[in-house]
Amino acid sequence: MTPSHARPALIVFDLDGTLLDTHTDLVESLNHTIAALGLEPVSYDDLTHLVGHGARVMIERACRLRGHPLESDALPPLVERFVAHYAANMPGRTEPYPGLVAAMDRLQSAGYRLAVCTNKMESLALALLDKLDLTGYFAAVTGGDSFAVRKPDARHLTGTIDRAGGDIARTVMIGDSINDIAVARNAGVPSIAVPFGYSDVPVSNLDPDMIITHYDELTPELVERLLREFAAKVAV
C-alpha cells in the first residue's frame, strides 16, 4: 500500500495496445478508408507496429503498401473518412486486456489516481472509454491533439500529469511502444512496458524500467517498489 507520508501515485496508461486491444476495429476502419481509393484490404500483420500510432500514419503506410503513395492534400479527407467510420462503430470488438479492470480497482482502492496519455484523438479516446464504461476511472484523458505536442515529447506526459493533479515525482507511465517508453524517459518518470501491444520489437529492447506480462502483476506494492528503485537510480 502507499506509505502514509507519500502522496498517492499517478498511473498513466497509453490506450491502444496497453489498456485496450483495439487492433481489429482500427484495421477495419483503415480498410474502409482505403476502399475509397479502390485499394485491396491490408491485414493487421502488415501494420502491426503502426496500429496505435494514429490514423494518418496507418493510412499513409497502407497506401504505400498497395502502391498508391498519397499527395499531402489527399490525406485529410481520408482521415475524416477513417474517423467517421471508427467513431460510428465503436466499441466494436475492442476490449480491455485481461486483468486490467481488476488492476485499476486495486490501484484506486489504494488511493492512486489514473490517467490516459494517448496519441489517439482526445475525442475518440474519450468516446471509446465511455462506450466501455471506463471513463470514470481516469482523472484525465489526453490525446494527440490535446496539446501542441504529442508523445514522445515530454510535454504531452507532463501536461497529462498536470491535468490529473499528479506529482511528477510520484508518476509511472505504462505503455506498449517506443513512444510510451520514450515519453517517460524524456519526462523523467519510470516506465512499465507490456508485451502484448503493438511494438515492432520486443519491449525489452526499448529499455523500460520494468516489464509486466499480465495486469495481475500491477499492484500498489509493485508501483511503490518501482518508484523507490527509480528514485534511487536517478539520485546516483
Side-chain angles (χ1 to χ4, degrees):
M1 302 296 287
T2 308
S4 59
H5 64 278
R7 185 174 181 181
L10 173 66
I11 315 301
V12 182
F13 294 89
D14 172 52
L15 189 69
D16 297 276
T18 300
L19 277 176
L20 305 176
D21 184 357
T22 56
H23 78 273
T24 298
D25 298 303
L26 291 171
V27 172
E28 285 183 357
S29 290
L30 175 62
N31 283 328
H32 170 80
T33 300
I34 66 174
L37 302 173
L39 303 182
E40 291 296 316
V42 296
S43 71
Y44 173 62
D45 289 339
D46 292 324
L47 297 165
T48 302
H49 70 287
L50 297 178
V51 172
H53 285 248
R56 179 181 297 266
V57 173
M58 288 196 299
I59 293 167
E60 288 177 327
R61 175 61 174 158
C63 289
R64 285 199 300 271
L65 280 173
R66 292 294 177 254
H68 188 91
L70 293 172
E71 300 294 332
S72 59
D73 61 350
L75 194 55
L78 292 173
V79 172
E80 290 181 10
R81 179 177 171 90
F82 177 96
V83 169
H85 184 271
Y86 186 69
N89 290 280
M90 65 175 56
R93 284 179 276 180
T94 290
E95 59 185 6
Y97 282 103
L100 170 70
V101 172
M104 294 195 300
D105 286 336
R106 280 195 300 274
L107 295 169
Q108 285 199 326
S109 293
Y112 294 162
R113 288 175 177 258
L114 309 176
V116 172
C117 179
T118 174
N119 279 347
K120 199 186 207 80
M121 292 170 57
E122 181 180 325
S123 60
L124 289 179
L126 285 167
L128 181 57
L129 290 167
D130 190 55
K131 294 281 188 180
L132 294 168
D133 294 323
L134 296 174
T135 311
Y137 280 98
F138 302 107
V141 175
T142 68
D145 56 348
S146 298
F147 307 106
V149 296
R150 53 163 43 194
K151 295 183 298 184
D153 192 298
R155 292 170 290 176
H156 189 176
L157 179 52
T158 57
T160 304
I161 295 168
D162 288 344
R163 284 196 185 183
D167 177 352
I168 195 168
R170 297 272 303 154
T171 295
V172 172
M173 177 74 203
I174 303 179
D176 69 302
S177 72
I178 182 59
N179 279 343
D180 306 314
I181 307 310
V183 77
R185 186 176 300 118
N186 293 340
V189 306
S191 60
I192 297 175
V194 295
F196 40 72
Y198 308 142
S199 178
D200 59 334
V201 299
V203 291
S204 58
N205 291 8
L206 306 179
D207 197 27
D209 294 289
M210 183 176 288
I211 297 172
I212 60 172
T213 61
H214 194 284
Y215 277 117
D216 288 350
E217 300 172 55
L218 184 59
T219 63
E221 292 78 13
L222 178 138
V223 169
E224 292 304 320
R225 174 164 62 87
L226 175 59
L227 288 168
R228 288 194 304 271
E229 292 173 354
F230 186 80
K233 180 171 69 175
V234 299
V236 173

